[in-house]
Amino acid sequence: DAMVIQNPRYQVTQFGKPVTLSCSQTLNHNVMYWYQQKSSQAPKLLFHYYDKDFNNEADTPDNFQSRRPNTSFCFLDIRSPGLGDTAMYLCATSRDDRGYTFGSGTRLTVV
Amino acid sequence: KQEVTQIPAALSVPEGENLVLNCSFTDSAIYNLQWFRQDPGKGLTSLLLIQSSQREQTSGRLNASLDKSSGRSTLYIAASQPGDSATYLCCGAGSYQLTFGKGTKLSVIP
């Protein structure tokens, strides 16, 4: 089945230790997104790629970076995780702006 | 800036009841509206997508409507089941951004 796959499902990292989360898709969607969702809150958009064009949200901390080496893969890099970065990270895709498909998420815990 | 409001924040119903979840949005220039389901600690599962030119969509026991002029959408769940227990998120889409409501947490009691 076509889908959005996130790895790992769970990640524990130490304060300040860089971590990378991955997302892959078989939908051939041109847009990929990263959302951060903290406990009991709505997901918050960090950035998105329209094809190869990177679009950062104004309030996304510099500590968060992203790479999209090809259509299928997108990575979220957190350079120096803080305790406040503990959250669920959700990857989503869309064909232009027409409906979104989310992955199962990566639950990140910073200790 | 689009704002999405969901009422109620939480809802508890006995199994078998029909129920309606409400969503309102401030910007009628919405591109589409999408309803998601989220189980605890899990990702988002798309339930229904309504394009801006459409008024409703149906999937099984679920029916979602969209009234752009009044800025409202409803999600109707027929014959609720305990497996329907989850948080339901209403989302307005436009400019490559989803604006989420805070969700309605539904509990269906056996």
Side-chain angles (χ1 to χ4, degrees):
Chain A
D1 287 343
M3 58 178 58
V4 180
I5 301 168
Q6 292 189 241
N7 285 302
R9 186 73 179 88
Y10 301 94
Q11 176 76 56
V12 179
T13 191
Q14 291 181 330
F15 181 95
K17 184 176 181 180
V19 64
T20 295
L21 311 181
S22 74
C23 177
S24 63
Q25 55 128 341
T26 58
L27 297 161
N28 202 32
H29 283 172
N30 59 333
V31 193
M32 295 186 76
Y33 311 77
W34 280 103
Y35 283 83
Q36 178 193 63
Q37 186 180 27
K38 296 187 177 181
S39 182
S40 301
Q41 296 184 18
K44 176 182 179 297
L45 181 64
L46 296 174
F47 24 61
H48 75 274
Y49 275 94
Y50 184 98
D51 294 324
K52 295 182 179 181
D53 293 333
F54 178 70
N55 298 271
N56 197 28
E57 293 301 299
D59 57 354
T60 298
D62 293 339
N63 197 27
F64 290 84
Q65 303 286 322
S66 185
R67 297 170 282 135
R68 188 179 186 186
N70 54 53
T71 300
S72 300
F73 285 86
C74 194
F75 299 97
L76 171 62
D77 300 308
I78 309 176
R79 293 190 297 186
S80 181
L83 299 179
D85 297 328
T86 291
M88 173 77 86
Y89 290 86
L90 297 163
C91 175
T93 70
S94 69
R95 164 65 57 191
D96 295 319
D97 216 0
R98 304 172 208 158
Y100 293 72
T101 302
F102 280 80
S104 298
T106 293
R107 179 167 293 281
L108 176 70
T109 302
V110 182
V111 298
Chain B
K1 180 184 176 184
Q2 181 73 270
E3 293 183 3
V4 177
T5 303
Q6 290 188 248
I7 295 173
L11 181 63
S12 183
V13 300
E15 181 177 2
E17 269 204 10
N18 302 326
L19 58 100
V20 175
L21 307 182
N22 296 292
C23 170
S24 61
F25 48 92
T26 55
D27 186 356
S28 62
I30 198 168
Y31 192 77
N32 59 50
L33 189 133
Q34 197 163 358
W35 283 90
F36 292 92
R37 167 186 173 142
Q38 187 171 32
D39 293 282
K42 301 291 180 64
L44 276 63
T45 300
S46 180
L47 297 174
L48 291 165
L49 168 67
I50 311 175
Q51 303 283 358
S52 61
S53 59
Q54 298 173 324
R55 293 192 62 86
E56 67 175 338
Q57 284 287 330
T58 298
S59 176
R61 295 182 293 109
L62 305 180
N63 175 274
S65 67
L66 174 63
D67 185 342
K68 288 183 62 178
S69 61
S70 65
R72 295 182 186 275
S73 177
T74 61
L75 178 66
Y76 175 82
I77 303 177
S80 58
Q81 302 172 358
D84 295 332
S85 298
T87 296
Y88 290 80
L89 293 165
C90 170
C91 308
S95 300
Y96 302 98
Q97 176 154 178
L98 277 175
T99 302
F100 287 88
K102 292 186 177 179
T104 294
K105 186 174 182 179
L106 174 65
S107 298
V108 181
I109 311 302

